[in-house]
Every structure is written in structure tokens, then in C-alpha cells.
Amino acid sequence: MVLAYGDRLGDVEVVRPLVVLRSAVIYEAIHLQQRVFLKVAHPGQDNEHRLIREAELLQKLQSTANQRPVLPTLVSPYTRANAQARLVGRAMLSDQLVTYTLFAHIPGEPLQDVLKKHPQLWIDHIGWITIELASAIALVHGAQHLHLALGPESVLVHFAGDQGVPRVTLVDLGLATTLRQTTDNRTYVEHWYRDAVRPGGTAPELASPTRVGGGVGAGTQTDVYGLGLVLYELLASTPPFSRNQISAEPIYQRIIAGQVTPLMRADVQPIANLALQMLARNPSARPIDARAIVDEIKGTEIGMTPVVRPSRWPPPARIFRIAAIVLLVAFLIALLLSVREIFV
């Protein structure tokens, strides 16, 4: 179910859909005369519980010193004083109870849409986007949670200011599942279901789950794999695995076998090698966590300082100075011609 312009959930009015996710739809909306993002869970308990876990995790991260602009800011869906602590809203729509959350509005568009418009981004922008996305995942890991569903649709990108510096916000925290550990130091997650992520976005250990204590074997290196999927697509302008949902099993088999097409990016070989390392079939062959990805990319000096892509046009201030000089010269010439006519 996708809402249309003018549909209402309580005092929230839908403006337009922004992105359709596996478990929810994010809309631009109006709440109390303010622009917000409205995130509505798809029908089903799994999707509703996932939205609730995400809201609880965001509240936890926002209440610590680790709050960063790379994560969205929750807005209470209720205006009554005794309901301010409630993170999740519920409303009836077409005889169906809908579960939703609200985020503060920020500029930007989904990374998947950015890649459709600009299939090949500048390499420094690729580095900076990956650094900011990895920083967001590092915050999730720091709270002892995993994402497990990373993809370009989970990310908003805004090219800020005259310099066009890419700013990233992770608007979907995936499964937002708690990272747990068994007595023999193996990690696993509890909140897993096969349809949580598209086939092309599933790490090998999730495509072929190893059941541990009733959960799925996973860890921070599983999210490193998800970051690798995004970095690969940024570099290659195409995902490493098809997003075709009709025949999922062949895709799962390619993922399990680690059949990733090599990146033909000799111009940026270090970061291309890093992307392939992040997509290694064996989790232990990948960087240990998201923070390690930040350090690795900074070590390549790609994306360290977001700078303006060189322009064929001079800076605006120089253009204004040149225009002023031209106008002054034209005025002086006109003045001299006028004086000459008077005395001739």
C-alpha cells in the first residue's frame, strides 16, 4: 500500500512518496505545519516490529553524546503532553491499522535516484559518501546492533552548498537487530527473516544461514559486506548482483559462491581492491567493522576533504570583477565619445 498526496494519518498529511523499502515506505509529509519524513511500515508483524526496533535504537543513539547528523532525528507523532514519550504512531486508514514514525525533514534524495541521474560520481564524492555511511553504521555497531539490509535505497544524499559536498543520512536502520554472543564467542542475531533484504543485498552468511541458538550467524563484518555492495555500485555504476526478484535462488547461489565481477577501475585501484575485499565470501577476510572502513578509505586519501570538482568557469567573485571592469571601460569609452562630439 502506497499513500497518495493528501492522504492523512491523524494530523500528518502526505505530500509525496520518497522511497519504497522492503519493510516500509518513506514519504515527505506535513505535521503541525512543519515538513517531516513519514515512515509507514508495510502490513505484517515483522515489518511493524522492525519499525519499532528502529525507533528505539534511534532514541538510544539520540540520547547519547554520539548523536550525529548521519542519522535521522525522531519527531513525536503525538502532540498531547502525556504522549511525548511515544516513538511510534498508529492510525486507521481504509479499515487498516497503520504503524508509522516521523523524522525531522532534511534535504536530499535517495542514493539510488542519484545514481540513476549521475551513474558515475566523482571519486572524491564516492569516498566521502562511503566514509559518512560507514560512520553511521559504526554508530549502530557501537550500540551493539546490526543493520543487515544496506542498500542505496537506505541512504539520502544532499550535495550541500556551492561546493556540492555530499552529505549522507542513513534513513533506514535495516533490521536494527541486537548483536548477541554465544558462550563459545559466536555471534548471532535474533530478528531475521528471509525476505528482510533483496536477494542481491544478502551477505553469503545470510543467504545460507548458519543457525546458532535459534538465530542467524552474523556480525559486524556482515554489515561490512553491505557497505561493500554500496561502494561497488558507486564505483561500477551497477550492483554486483542483479536486483531481479523473480528468480531469487540463482542470485543466492552466486552470492554464496562469491561470484563477484571484478572492478575495472585501474584509475582508483586501492579503493576498488577495498570494495572487493569487503565483498569477500569469507567474513574473516573482510575488514573487521565499519570503523575500519573509514580508516581504510582515509588511508587512500580519497574523500578525505570534500572539495569542489574543478569547474571550467571562474569563481563568481572573479566574474563580477570582470563584468564591473568591462562596464567601467564601456562607460569611459561612451563618455569620451560624447566629449569628442561636443568639441568637434
Side-chain angles (χ1 to χ4, degrees):
M1 177 180 64
V2 177
L3 306 181
Y5 173 79
D7 285 341
R8 300 186 70 92
L9 296 178
D11 55 4
V12 182
E13 182 177 0
V14 172
V15 175
R16 70 179 182 96
L18 183 67
V19 61
V20 179
L21 305 168
R22 296 283 288 191
S23 64
V25 183
I26 299 178
Y27 302 87
E28 288 188 356
I30 301 295
H31 176 245
L32 302 179
Q33 300 182 338
Q34 298 291 324
R35 296 174 69 192
V36 294
F37 286 135
L38 165 68
K39 190 170 187 178
V40 181
H42 293 319
Q45 282 192 347
D46 281 337
N47 296 322
E48 293 173 6
H49 292 168
R50 177 170 166 176
L51 189 69
I52 293 169
R53 290 197 305 273
E54 177 183 73
E56 291 172 345
L57 176 56
L58 278 173
Q59 185 186 48
K60 178 180 179 180
L61 291 171
Q62 288 173 188
S63 64
T64 69
N66 289 329
Q67 183 178 359
R68 288 277 301 277
V70 290
L71 295 176
T73 301
L74 280 171
V75 174
S76 174
Y78 298 103
T79 56
R80 298 189 304 273
N82 62 355
Q84 288 297 317
R86 295 181 64 177
L87 306 176
V88 178
R90 288 184 171 86
M92 292 298 298
L93 183 68
S94 301
D95 299 325
Q96 184 174 344
L97 185 63
V98 175
T99 303
Y100 66 93
T101 53
L102 298 179
F103 302 146
H105 187 274
I106 52 173
E109 59 182 324
L111 180 56
Q112 64 179 10
D113 293 345
V114 172
L115 290 174
K116 289 176 183 176
K117 297 177 183 177
H118 310 285
Q120 190 57 71
L121 296 176
W122 190 28
I123 186 59
D124 278 346
H125 284 177
I126 291 174
W128 191 251
I129 288 170
T130 308
I131 286 173
E132 291 220 322
L133 181 55
S135 298
I137 295 299
L139 292 177
V140 174
H141 290 173
Q144 295 300 302
H145 282 68
L146 297 176
H147 190 290
L148 301 185
L150 271 172
E153 66 277 5
S154 305
V155 183
L156 284 191
V157 178
H158 171 57
F159 293 91
D162 294 336
Q163 294 184 338
V165 176
R167 300 301 184 192
V168 166
T169 304
L170 182 64
V171 291
D172 182 67
L173 299 193
L175 270 65
T177 185
T178 305
L179 178 61
R180 301 193 182 278
Q181 203 164 39
T182 63
T183 54
D184 57 356
N185 291 325
R186 288 184 295 175
T187 57
Y188 73 97
V189 295
E190 295 179 307
H191 306 293
W192 170 256
Y193 47 105
R194 181 70 175 255
D195 293 331
V197 291
R198 52 185 168 78
T202 304
E205 60 268 30
L206 300 183
S208 180
T210 302
R211 298 290 174 178
V212 181
V216 174
T220 56
Q221 286 159 307
T222 306
D223 278 341
V224 167
Y225 187 94
L227 286 166
L229 292 171
V230 176
L231 178 55
Y232 184 104
E233 187 165 351
L234 287 169
L235 290 168
S237 305
T238 185
F241 303 103
S242 169
R243 294 199 178 107
N244 179 12
Q245 300 293 316
I246 298 175
S247 54
E249 287 307 318
I251 302 173
Y252 284 132
Q253 293 306 315
R254 284 192 61 201
I255 294 169
I256 294 169
Q259 296 175 354
V260 181
T261 303
L263 277 166
M264 308 304 291
R265 291 300 304 265
D267 56 326
V268 286
Q269 199 64 55
I271 198 168
N273 290 341
L274 174 62
L276 294 177
Q277 182 188 0
M278 293 161 70
L279 294 175
R281 179 178 179 275
N282 187 345
S284 63
R286 305 169 198 158
I288 188 65
D289 56 20
R291 179 54 56 189
I293 300 302
V294 174
D295 295 338
E296 288 271 3
I297 295 178
K298 287 183 176 180
T300 67
E301 298 185 357
I302 292 174
M304 277 291 293
T305 304
V307 295
V308 187
R309 190 168 189 172
S311 173
R312 59 181 179 176
W313 299 102
R318 185 181 300 174
I319 293 175
F320 290 142
R321 286 197 297 269
I322 293 173
I325 292 171
V326 170
L327 290 173
L328 178 60
V329 170
F331 172 77
L332 292 175
I333 292 174
L335 181 62
L336 288 173
L337 291 175
S338 299
V339 171
R340 181 179 177 183
E341 289 179 0
I342 293 173
F343 290 97
V344 171

